[in-house]
Amino acid sequence: MMHFLLLFSRQGKLRLQKWFLPLPERERKKIVKDMTTMVLARKPRTCNFLHWKDLKIVYKRYASLYFCCALENQDNELLALEILHRYVELLDKYFGNVCELDIIFNFEKAYFILDELLMGGEIQETSKLSIVKSIEASDMLQETMEEYISKPAF
Amino acid sequence: MPAPIRLRELIRTIRTARTQAEEREMIQKECAAIRSSFREEDNTYRCRNVAKLLYMHMLGYPAHFGQLECLKLIASQKFTDKRIGYLGAMLLLDERQDVHLLMTNCIKNDLNHSTQYVQGLALCTLGCMGSSEMCRDLAGEVEKLLKTSNSYLRKKAALCAVHVIRKVPELMEMFLPATKNLLSEKNHGVLHTSVVLLTEMCERSPDMLSHFRKLVPQLVRILKNLIMSGYSPEHDVSGISDPFLQVRILRLLRILGKGDDDSSEAMNDILAQVATNTETSKNVGNAILYETVLTIMDIKSESGLRVLAINILGRFLLNNDKNIRYVALTSLLKTVQTDHNAVQRHRSTIVDCLKDLDVSIKRRAMELSFALVNGNNIRGMMKELLYFLDSCDPDFKADCASGIFLAAEKYAPSKRWHIDTIMRVLTTAGSYVRDDSVPNLIQLITNSVEMHAYTVQRLYKALLDDISQQPLVQVASWCIGEYGDLLVSGQCEEEEPIQVSEDEVLDVLEGLLVSNLSTPVTRGYSLTAIMKLSTRFSSLNRIKKVVSIYGSSIDVELQQRAVEYNALFKKYDHMRPALLERMPIMEKTIFSGDGIFTVCLWSVFPVLQANDLLDLLGGNDVVPIIQTTVPTKPASAGGELLDLLGDLSLTVIPPMTAYNKNGLIIEFTFERSNPNPNIAVITIHATNSTEADMTEFVFQAAVPKVCSFPSCILINLLFMSWCIGT
């Protein structure tokens, strides 16, 4: 299972953090710091895998954002790259040509989409179409049509 | 009270802050506003405020005062509220928080909600961070949902069940009935999560494992359909149908087939099919191949299949994609023990990976190279590894040097080659070798009797070049101290002997003593080496002078040594030759931590010596602390030694108490050995009669001249009687 998934910018600013294990706040902050330091220090043409404690860290850079996740020993790193890619595709489909600003201003949506793709560190749906449909339907449920179209609920 | 500002507005405002202080100020202001809004129990804007709080939390600011508000949002009827509420719960309310359990009732209600998206939210939250108590309370609900026909809910319930089992393994049994027809689902989401659930159950319980073995044919069929089926737009990734599901099935097959002949037999064909038919141009195909290889290696596959797997890894090694090379090296490392010969065939490719630019790949290649070294390829491999040692990053040098020493020790084709290899390591990566290499190397050199002249010559030349690498310098000083006579007499057979005078050698050693580059340990080595040369060289005066100068050194260790060596020159000059003799071949003894205990027999005989002994021991102190890696230490044994040993063959010596002070009692007993009466057995009992522990008790014994090389004295240290908490 995946232990955590982080999104951070090239300056090390956190844009999303999903934890699949209960860890104290202080521990989480430390891990985020370690990950950003390690990943940002990597040279451009190196492989996307790192070893950290007893976990495999898989990271990939998409434009100005780094997607970074931690796997257990028996997990498949190459497949993790595909999972990260799938998430980016979903974000792209939802926001239309997604960029970092979209994720900054709509972070809650990014979480909702992630929660349709992963649960408890495992993939819950392999069909892109299915996830997109669920998100659209959930969005529909939010508030009245008026508020949904013209102004955000919050 | 005006409406609280919108989330996006807040984000925009905060991003305009130019300094950290400015940002903090904005955040504090907003937090105050949010807090008062919470106090007013405002339902309309609660959602907005919590959303803002979550944003600020992501920036690193505390948000604990929003925890209860999340609960209120979850309990609300509006879907928007629930969505933000559950998100907040997942971010702020992990099981370590007190309020965590308060969610249970809300989640329970929502699990039975009429809207599937609400149920989905509840399942997701429970499945991501539910505590054990919560899982226990709600497992029944999850199990119910696992049996529903709604695939959206079923897939989420399956993963929620996985989480419940992880938290409360005893509840596994409960989910067993619901798994009955999970695999007959058509929906890929449900299929995938079902496979994950089955995997989790099989990993945790051997009973479940045997129970689910019967599913192997069904799994094989599903996998086959995935591979053979035509293009399915919904699940296609670069021409491969649902790679996520394929990989998960392969992983479950691995667990089911491990150690079981029948299951492994049943999956042989499909594994071969996947291995040969999968498209390898993109990462996704390679991900599947990778999983297939891991499965083949773990189950009881036939040998043809195993060779196929290793060859796939071999092809991976040649792939342009670094990730794939990395993964191949990692997998080969796992299989090198079991399929050693097959992996050997790819040795040259692996060795080429040592030259890769990527650090992770280099490290894997290094580990794998060491695993592949054997008696046949040692010369070739060592050349490559030494070249690697020269050029690699400092992080690697320590591990590489240790690996080289180990490999050289196991497979060295000749002593000369061994010593050359060690020399090479010491000169190229000398400062990175581990501390215990120094005594190990000294032992190796001592035991290679015919190479002494060659070794000391090479080490001497290395010292002339560079004295900064401490392990090299330490080994070199020790050798020069031991074999300095061979050095100046120009006796080397292996290579052209160099002409060096005694003064030149002493210059070098004295240079080490004064150099800023030398550590205190190194200085100790060189002082002792100089002292040893007093019996091998003729320039006694020079040596005496050096030794006496250091008698007032600031470094306590050096000072002590110098003073004791001085004493050797003055009072105990008759013992000096015996004490500073060539070391005999050492038995390698390994103790916790401290490297080799170098052994010189310290014979303590009665008659005159008791007083001197006590003096040397410094009267009130317990045995002085001495570096265990330095072999020589003057000890007291009388000139009558020879006589007494001579006497041993005729008389029986009564037991004696050699030392009795401050609670430390050392007793010697002497007896004739039982098959061979020419052997005397001296037993030393050391007792601590105080209540406190005695620490740093060092046992050393010096060999008198009569006990020279061939008739060496064996020392049996009986540690049982020895444990004084050293």
Side-chain angles (χ1 to χ4, degrees):
Chain A
M1 71 178 256
M2 208 181 272
H3 281 212
F4 55 81
L5 176 73
L6 304 173
L7 262 68
F8 47 86
S9 71
R10 275 197 291 194
Q11 289 75 40
K13 293 211 110 171
L14 193 62
R15 298 299 178 207
L16 188 143
Q17 50 175 338
K18 188 75 191 176
W19 301 88
F20 297 112
L21 280 183
L23 290 168
E25 188 70 36
R26 201 176 45 217
E27 183 85 31
R28 291 185 186 187
K29 284 206 168 132
K30 181 158 191 307
I31 291 179
V32 170
K33 196 151 166 275
D34 286 346
M35 288 299 118
T36 45
T37 320
M38 263 192 343
V39 170
L40 293 174
R42 291 284 276 181
K43 300 204 188 83
R45 268 183 300 273
T46 49
C47 70
N48 297 71
F49 310 130
L50 286 168
H51 238 89
W52 181 79
K53 301 203 178 165
D54 59 339
L55 296 172
K56 299 197 251 206
I57 308 292
V58 178
Y59 72 93
K60 187 128 197 245
R61 187 174 137 235
Y62 287 91
S64 58
L65 271 183
Y66 281 92
F67 288 65
C68 169
C69 63
L71 305 172
E72 288 176 342
N73 233 333
Q74 65 270 37
D75 293 323
N76 186 326
E77 304 95 305
L78 296 178
L79 196 70
L81 284 173
E82 294 300 317
I83 298 176
L84 293 177
H85 192 75
R86 175 56 61 95
Y87 184 43
V88 171
E89 283 179 330
L90 288 167
L91 290 170
D92 195 54
K93 189 86 203 286
Y94 184 80
F95 289 108
N97 271 331
V98 68
C99 62
E100 191 183 342
L101 273 178
D102 289 321
I103 300 184
I104 293 172
F105 278 94
N106 301 285
F107 69 93
E108 83 279 6
K109 299 265 179 13
Y111 275 107
F112 297 152
I113 295 172
L114 186 60
D115 286 338
E116 288 297 318
L117 176 64
L118 296 172
M119 189 205 284
E122 309 278 1
I123 298 180
Q124 63 175 281
E125 179 58 67
T126 57
S127 155
K128 246 190 302 195
L129 190 60
S130 185
I131 295 181
V132 167
K133 277 203 204 141
S134 314
I135 291 287
E136 279 173 2
S138 304
D139 284 348
M140 283 295 189
L141 271 183
Q142 274 193 205
E143 299 313 322
T144 62
M145 289 293 282
E146 202 179 62
E147 241 192 306
Y148 175 75
I149 292 170
S150 57
K151 48 192 166 101
F154 42 77
Chain B
M1 166 119 201
I5 70 170
R6 296 180 183 281
L7 170 66
R8 325 267 176 230
E9 196 57 50
L10 177 68
I11 297 177
R12 208 168 292 126
T13 316
I14 291 178
R15 282 171 64 77
T16 61
R18 268 162 300 174
T19 64
Q20 185 76 1
E22 214 180 315
E23 183 185 277
R24 215 175 309 136
E25 207 185 302
M26 289 180 191
I27 302 250
Q28 274 172 353
K29 200 163 131 229
E30 186 56 38
C31 277
I34 292 178
R35 264 195 241 245
S36 38
S37 186
F38 283 162
R39 253 176 277 136
E40 285 171 19
E41 298 280 341
D42 188 330
N43 286 344
T44 333
Y45 297 113
R46 182 176 288 125
C47 180
R48 186 183 292 187
N49 285 326
V50 170
K52 288 187 285 185
L53 204 54
L54 292 179
Y55 177 72
M56 295 190 286
H57 176 249
M58 184 142 65
L59 292 179
Y61 296 91
H64 47 272
F65 56 90
Q67 285 172 2
L68 269 174
E69 302 301 313
C70 291
L71 285 178
K72 293 180 194 162
L73 281 176
I74 292 174
S76 154
Q77 290 309 309
K78 294 204 296 208
F79 184 66
T80 316
D81 283 356
K82 281 189 191 284
R83 243 183 161 186
I84 295 292
Y86 277 118
L87 178 61
M90 283 197 272
L91 287 174
L92 302 177
L93 274 177
D94 67 44
E95 62 188 45
R96 289 156 192 274
Q97 310 303 329
D98 304 322
V99 291
H100 180 85
L101 264 181
L102 296 174
M103 273 198 290
T104 315
N105 211 31
C106 283
I107 295 185
K108 184 167 191 171
N109 291 334
D110 283 342
L111 283 175
N112 291 307
H113 204 274
S114 49
T115 314
Q116 70 174 14
Y117 297 108
V118 173
Q119 289 174 292
L121 283 177
L123 280 168
C124 188
T125 307
L126 181 59
C128 277
M129 39 81 82
S131 64
S132 328
E133 295 87 25
M134 220 192 267
C135 288
R136 249 185 262 268
D137 287 338
L138 301 172
E141 304 294 327
V142 175
E143 198 257 343
K144 233 172 36 197
L145 287 170
L146 194 50
K147 296 193 278 217
T148 174
S149 52
N150 179 334
S151 44
Y152 178 78
L153 291 177
R154 208 166 181 206
K155 74 184 185 207
K156 288 186 190 272
L159 283 186
C160 200
V162 170
H163 179 82
V164 167
I165 292 175
R166 282 183 183 147
K167 282 298 200 186
V168 193
E170 305 89 66
L171 291 174
M172 205 186 329
E173 292 289 325
M174 183 181 196
F175 295 105
L176 190 52
T179 61
K180 230 193 313 209
N181 50 8
L182 273 178
L183 288 185
S184 23
E185 262 279 351
K186 289 276 180 278
N187 180 297
H188 281 223
V190 179
L191 216 43
H192 186 279
T193 56
S194 306
V195 173
V196 174
L197 176 58
L198 291 171
T199 309
E200 188 70 29
M201 290 168 113
C202 291
E203 272 175 346
R204 284 182 182 266
S205 155
D207 292 330
M208 291 285 182
L209 182 56
S210 7
H211 172 81
F212 285 126
R213 277 223 173 90
K214 61 177 193 271
L215 292 176
V216 170
Q218 207 172 355
L219 288 165
V220 168
R221 231 180 3 254
I222 298 173
L223 192 50
K224 196 165 192 148
N225 283 336
L226 284 173
I227 303 171
M228 308 293 271
S229 68
Y231 176 72
S232 152
E234 202 179 337
H235 300 112
D236 180 271
V237 180
S238 302
I240 296 182
S241 186
D242 207 339
F244 305 104
L245 181 57
Q246 286 193 35
V247 165
R248 249 6 256 244
I249 292 180
L250 285 165
R251 189 160 147 185
L252 180 55
L253 285 176
R254 177 154 85 242
I255 295 171
L256 293 174
K258 190 166 188 169
D260 187 81
D261 288 318
D262 294 326
S263 307
S264 304
E265 173 80 41
M267 50 179 94
N268 253 315
D269 285 343
I270 190 67
L271 289 174
Q273 207 177 348
V274 175
T276 43
N277 285 347
T278 308
E279 187 63 45
T280 58
S281 54
K282 293 261 173 74
N283 178 64
V284 60
N286 288 319
I288 295 177
L289 273 182
Y290 175 38
E291 197 73 33
T292 313
V293 164
L294 290 177
T295 302
I296 293 175
M297 300 314 291
D298 248 10
I299 65 171
K300 294 187 157 219
S301 43
E302 45 182 48
S303 59
L305 203 52
R306 292 183 90 85
V307 171
L308 178 62
I310 303 256
N311 288 343
I312 291 176
L313 290 179
R315 270 207 316 273
F316 273 5
L317 278 179
L318 299 167
N319 197 309
N320 281 330
D321 189 337
K322 285 192 191 300
N323 296 331
I324 295 179
R325 289 211 297 279
Y326 178 87
V327 147
L329 287 170
T330 316
S331 316
L332 283 171
L333 200 53
K334 283 192 217 149
T335 62
V336 75
Q337 303 303 331
T338 45
D339 293 83
H340 193 91
N341 292 327
V343 182
Q344 280 282 0
R345 260 178 250 137
H346 299 279
R347 197 180 67 242
S348 48
T349 325
I350 293 169
V351 166
D352 280 338
C353 288
L354 284 173
K355 304 190 183 89
D356 200 301
L357 295 164
D358 186 318
V359 164
S360 320
I361 289 182
K362 273 202 277 219
R363 179 166 282 279
R364 286 275 172 273
M366 180 182 84
E367 289 168 5
L368 195 49
S369 303
F370 281 124
L372 287 176
V373 169
N374 63 24
N376 294 328
N377 57 36
I378 179 77
R379 282 187 195 267
M381 287 295 276
M382 198 50 83
K383 235 194 321 216
E384 296 286 344
L385 288 166
L386 285 170
Y387 180 73
F388 176 67
L389 184 66
D390 271 337
S391 53
C392 68
D393 295 332
D395 318 324
F396 287 106
K397 289 205 196 235
D399 291 329
C400 190
S402 304
I404 290 179
F405 284 150
L406 274 169
E409 202 175 312
K410 269 203 256 181
Y411 302 112
S414 75
K415 287 228 155 70
R416 159 104 191 239
W417 181 94
H418 196 170
I419 292 192
D420 281 341
T421 306
I422 291 174
M423 288 292 307
R424 180 83 184 272
V425 174
L426 285 179
T427 46
T428 50
S431 19
Y432 298 97
V433 299
R434 292 201 227 284
D435 292 335
D436 63 356
S437 337
V438 172
N440 287 343
L441 293 175
I442 288 177
Q443 190 225 0
L444 174 69
I445 293 171
T446 313
N447 294 354
S448 321
V449 179
E450 64 279 12
M451 304 296 305
H452 286 167
Y454 171 69
T455 311
V456 68
Q457 184 163 296
R458 286 212 58 191
L459 284 168
Y460 179 76
K461 283 199 274 196
L463 267 193
L464 290 176
D465 275 332
D466 173 20
I467 59 168
S468 63
Q469 305 198 83
Q470 299 305 296
L472 172 64
V473 173
Q474 287 168 10
V475 174
S477 337
W478 190 90
C479 278
I480 295 174
E482 271 297 293
Y483 311 120
D485 48 329
L486 298 176
L487 186 60
V488 297
S489 65
Q491 279 181 22
C492 184
E493 286 170 0
E494 300 279 341
E495 65 174 18
E496 187 64 39
I498 56 173
Q499 305 300 326
V500 62
S501 71
E502 291 184 2
D503 276 322
E504 283 171 331
V505 174
L506 287 171
D507 282 339
V508 169
L509 287 176
E510 283 187 49
L512 292 176
L513 274 175
V514 300
S515 165
N516 284 333
L517 296 166
S518 300
T519 61
V521 171
T522 308
R523 291 204 178 93
Y525 270 90
S526 39
L527 185 61
T528 305
I530 292 176
M531 186 59 194
K532 283 204 260 187
L533 290 174
S534 70
T535 53
R536 294 157 173 76
F537 282 3
S538 51
S539 19
L540 264 179
N541 285 331
R542 180 169 178 183
I543 295 177
K544 278 190 194 172
K545 213 167 87 181
V546 172
V547 166
S548 68
I549 290 173
Y550 279 88
S552 41
S553 160
I554 293 180
D555 182 336
V556 177
E557 174 64 32
L558 275 186
Q559 189 193 101
Q560 182 170 342
R561 288 183 191 213
V563 163
E564 286 168 353
Y565 294 158
N566 249 326
L568 254 195
F569 274 125
K570 301 203 168 72
K571 239 168 151 189
Y572 299 98
D573 205 45
H574 49 278
M575 283 162 47
R576 188 168 48 87
L579 285 164
L580 301 180
E581 240 202 9
R582 272 272 202 279
M583 295 296 287
I585 292 195
M586 299 181 208
E587 281 293 317
K588 191 166 188 175
T589 40
I590 299 154
F591 299 84
S592 56
D594 290 31
I596 302 182
F597 234 63
T598 54
V599 175
C600 330
L601 242 201
W602 174 23
S603 318
V604 181
F605 286 84
V607 193
L608 296 184
Q609 267 47 38
N611 292 330
D612 295 342
L613 180 65
L614 290 174
D615 280 351
L616 222 69
L617 286 176
N620 284 328
D621 301 335
V622 186
V623 183
I625 298 154
I626 304 154
Q627 293 254 345
T628 55
T629 52
V630 178
T632 59
K633 175 75 178 82
S636 68
E640 280 68 16
L641 194 66
L642 296 169
D643 294 341
L644 275 165
L645 277 180
D647 281 346
L648 259 183
S649 56
L650 299 174
T651 62
V652 173
I653 301 177
M656 59 158 284
T657 304
Y659 185 83
N660 185 347
K661 213 163 190 181
N662 295 331
L664 176 63
I665 305 169
I666 303 182
E667 289 172 325
F668 282 66
T669 49
F670 310 91
E671 56 186 350
R672 217 57 62 83
S673 153
N674 217 337
N676 185 353
N678 286 329
I679 297 178
V681 178
I682 307 171
T683 313
I684 302 169
H685 291 276
T687 340
N688 172 8
S689 61
T690 66
E691 282 178 358
D693 284 343
M694 282 183 182
T695 55
E696 293 170 282
F697 185 97
V698 175
F699 172 72
Q700 293 200 324
V703 177
K705 196 161 189 174
V706 71
C707 313
S708 60
F709 195 75
S711 58
C712 55
I713 293 181
L714 270 174
I715 302 185
N716 252 322
L717 297 172
L718 296 169
F719 283 94
M720 258 62 78
S721 50
W722 232 91
C723 307
I724 334 177
T726 37

